[in-house]
Amino acid sequence: LRRSNALINLPYVRDPCAYISQSSACLTYLGRRFGISPTHDPALTRMEQALAQVLDLREEMVTIFYDAHFDALQEKLYDSVATEHYDKLEAWLTQLNTRYLAGEQPTVPDFALWEVLDQMEIFAARTYRASLLAAYPRLRALHQHMRELPSLRSYFESPEASFPLNNAYASFK
């Protein structure tokens, strides 16, 4: 793989002509390929900003999930890291007055956001904490709408939907 793409790491996408690597590049490539990326401003600009915010949250979560001191960092993740990002994302949805992060149809950042919201819901349940989404009605609705999309039903009914959340090296799987 490295001969095909010197930047290769996980995740990557195999395209017929190339390997695409790096999380944001994979997401935006898939968004263009499957027609879920806006092609015009201002929706494209909203999508890019929202994706960066979601990936910031994801990076902070992954840092804690893979930390050797995960047990000591759980409160920080739940009480400050996640809520800081949830506050911003809820305010963004309120400011735009839209169902999704870039408009009324799901785009690239909504899929990434669904994943991190779902991981946080699983984290809360496994650590006997309340759902953070209870305090964020727009994020809760987005999470629910994404889960109910007919186009995703086959995935949610497949074995892949129950794969571990993180690599075997993570403290939180």
Side-chain angles (χ1 to χ4, degrees):
L1 292 175
R2 198 167 299 280
R3 281 181 257 176
S4 298
N5 182 336
L7 301 177
I8 203 74
N9 69 354
L10 293 176
Y12 69 86
V13 174
R14 183 177 178 194
D15 178 84
C17 299
Y19 287 93
I20 295 95
S21 187
Q22 301 297 334
S23 296
S24 61
C26 289
L27 288 167
T28 55
Y29 166 81
L30 291 169
R32 287 189 307 275
R33 183 158 183 225
F34 293 107
I36 57 170
S37 288
T39 57
H40 63 284
D41 281 326
L44 180 60
T45 302
R46 288 192 304 264
M47 184 200 78
E48 291 168 339
Q49 290 177 86
L51 179 59
Q53 184 65 46
V54 171
L55 292 178
D56 284 352
L57 170 56
R58 180 181 173 272
E59 184 171 332
E60 289 191 62
M61 288 170 59
V62 167
T63 298
I64 292 173
F65 289 161
Y66 282 78
D67 196 290
H69 305 290
F70 171 69
D71 291 340
L73 296 170
Q74 290 183 31
E75 292 301 320
K76 176 183 176 184
L77 173 61
Y78 185 80
D79 293 333
S80 63
V81 170
T83 56
E84 175 186 321
H85 290 280
Y86 282 29
D87 287 345
K88 286 182 177 184
L89 292 162
E90 183 78 12
W92 177 261
L93 289 167
T94 300
Q95 187 176 45
L96 295 178
N97 194 29
T98 57
R99 175 180 280 191
Y100 297 105
L101 292 170
E104 292 305 321
Q105 299 299 316
T107 59
V108 172
D110 300 299
F111 292 90
L113 178 59
W114 183 88
E115 180 183 13
V116 296
L117 294 176
D118 207 57
Q119 284 194 15
M120 282 303 299
E121 288 298 285
I122 293 167
F123 168 78
R126 287 185 187 169
T127 58
Y128 307 102
R129 292 175 168 87
S131 166
L132 287 174
L133 291 178
Y136 300 93
R138 288 180 178 267
L139 290 176
R140 184 177 63 247
L142 184 149
H143 183 258
Q144 180 180 344
H145 291 303
M146 293 292 292
R147 179 67 173 82
E148 295 171 353
L149 287 173
S151 58
L152 298 179
R153 182 175 295 127
S154 64
Y155 166 74
F156 288 119
E157 293 172 353
S158 74
E160 289 85 2
S162 61
F163 282 1
L165 301 174
N166 293 298
N167 188 295
Y169 299 109
S171 297
F172 179 72
K173 297 169 190 64

